[in-house]
Amino acid sequence: MSTLLILGGTAQARRLADSLAEQPFTVVSSLAGRTSSARLPAGEVISGGFGGASGLAAFLKERSIAAVVNATHPFSTQMSNNAVIACQEAKVPLLRFTRPSWREHSGAASWTWVADHQQAATVAANRADGGVVALTVGRQELPAYVESLRQHQVLARVTELTDDIAVQLPNRWQIIENKGPFSADDEREFLQGTSVMVTKDSGGCETAAKLTVADELGIPVIVVSRPQSPAEVATVTTSAQAMQWVLQQLS
Ligand code: NAP
């Protein structure tokens, strides 16, 4: 039986695996293994990484993988680059399945777009005006904000805080551990009383309520732009397109 590999760790990856459960091929979903409470997709699940591009290429050959869908987060550049190299080496077709960028969001023109987290931290420090900076950038990125925001009031929301990150953060920062999806009411509660919000262009609908609520409350939004993705990879942004590609490759 043919085997599809989905590089996951996102809701759209999980839903794709779930929707392929009845197909006459094996679906293996791979997770980085960083979140202890991850909701698991249907089918076989592996976790913990491959050991770089060469490790992934070896896995593709060993398991005779017929096609790979890279459905990792838009900011997962390392895994995405590894997938391109490994699939070229193992001669396996690769699809990038990612959420549509928030550049197309109705509020996008009013937000401050920056190139990276260092720049976001500097802009946030200037815009905070003595108030609270709300950070929704993911736990791994928090250390990039410490230098600029050490003396500021910061309210950071992460799915799960790990000790290696926690020790790098100022004691005065307030960290909320909470797993989405978040409704508009959740976001109103989170953002009420903050002066500026920083996020990254994760895109799609699932985490977009905070943007609508920030606009509604008049809170300035700073958005870190997406990293460049390898241009040569076929890319889709909807489940239907991803499904169609998979069925073409494995039928
Ligand atoms: P990354 O920087 O692109 O990758 C770092 C390393 O983590 C990779 O070299 C790989 O290790 C391992 N890895 C990443 N994704 C993997 C996967 N799906 N399966 C197996 N190994 C994986 O990744 P990241 O941005 O830290 O993201 C890690 C995971 O969290 C991804 O699955 C991503 O979808 C999910 N996630 C990330 C974000 C975010 O903001 N970055 C947000 C939500 C969810 P090896 O080299 O050993 O193979």
Side-chain angles (χ1 to χ4, degrees):
M1 198 186 285
S2 304
T3 303
L4 171 76
L5 174 64
I6 300 176
L7 301 171
T10 57
Q12 78 260 23
R14 188 183 67 245
R15 281 197 295 268
L16 179 63
D18 289 349
S19 63
L20 293 168
E22 303 302 321
Q23 295 294 329
F25 49 79
T26 302
V27 177
V28 178
S29 292
S30 170
L31 307 177
R34 307 246 179 88
T35 310
S36 58
S37 57
R39 279 177 60 194
L40 298 182
E44 183 181 340
V45 179
I46 58 173
S47 177
F50 301 94
S54 58
L56 176 56
F59 178 87
L60 298 178
K61 291 173 194 165
E62 189 186 311
R63 290 290 304 263
S64 302
I65 300 293
V68 176
V69 176
N70 172 17
T72 58
H73 191 271
F75 280 75
S76 297
T77 44
Q78 184 66 59
M79 190 69 248
S80 298
N81 290 335
N82 290 352
V84 171
I85 296 166
C87 286
Q88 274 169 359
E89 189 189 322
K91 298 186 174 48
V92 174
L94 170 65
L95 179 74
R96 180 61 166 129
F97 175 27
T98 191
R99 302 172 215 167
S101 165
W102 284 332
R103 293 240 176 221
E104 311 305 321
H105 190 284
S106 57
S110 66
W111 308 331
T112 303
W113 290 80
V114 296
D116 56 35
H117 291 281
Q118 272 71 29
Q119 211 183 332
T122 307
V123 176
N126 290 332
R127 298 291 292 273
D129 200 23
V132 180
V133 179
L135 296 181
T136 63
V137 293
R139 74 160 184 253
Q140 290 181 90
E141 309 302 344
L142 290 179
Y145 290 81
V146 171
E147 195 181 326
S148 296
L149 297 176
R150 188 180 296 282
Q151 303 303 334
H152 286 69
Q153 294 182 72
V154 168
L155 176 64
R157 184 175 67 199
V158 295
T159 304
E160 190 176 348
L161 187 63
T162 49
D163 291 345
D164 59 325
I165 300 294
V167 296
Q168 301 179 55
L169 306 181
N171 287 334
R172 61 183 299 155
W173 285 17
Q174 187 186 348
I175 313 293
I176 299 174
E177 288 181 277
N178 209 345
K179 195 171 160 64
F182 301 107
S183 67
D185 282 345
D186 296 333
E187 300 298 25
R188 266 181 216 107
E189 194 179 330
F190 171 62
L191 288 171
Q192 198 71 52
T194 62
S195 298
V196 58
M197 179 180 80
V198 186
T199 190
K200 58 185 180 188
D201 183 12
S202 299
C205 306
E206 310 228 341
T207 57
K210 61 190 170 193
L211 298 165
T212 310
V213 169
D215 287 348
E216 172 193 306
L217 297 175
I219 297 169
V221 174
I222 300 164
V223 188
V224 179
S225 302
R226 287 185 177 185
Q228 287 282 0
S229 54
E232 69 271 28
V233 178
T235 301
V236 298
T237 55
T238 68
S239 304
Q241 292 167 325
M243 186 80 150
Q244 188 185 14
W245 184 89
V246 168
L247 296 178
Q248 272 167 6
Q249 300 299 325
L250 283 111
S251 59

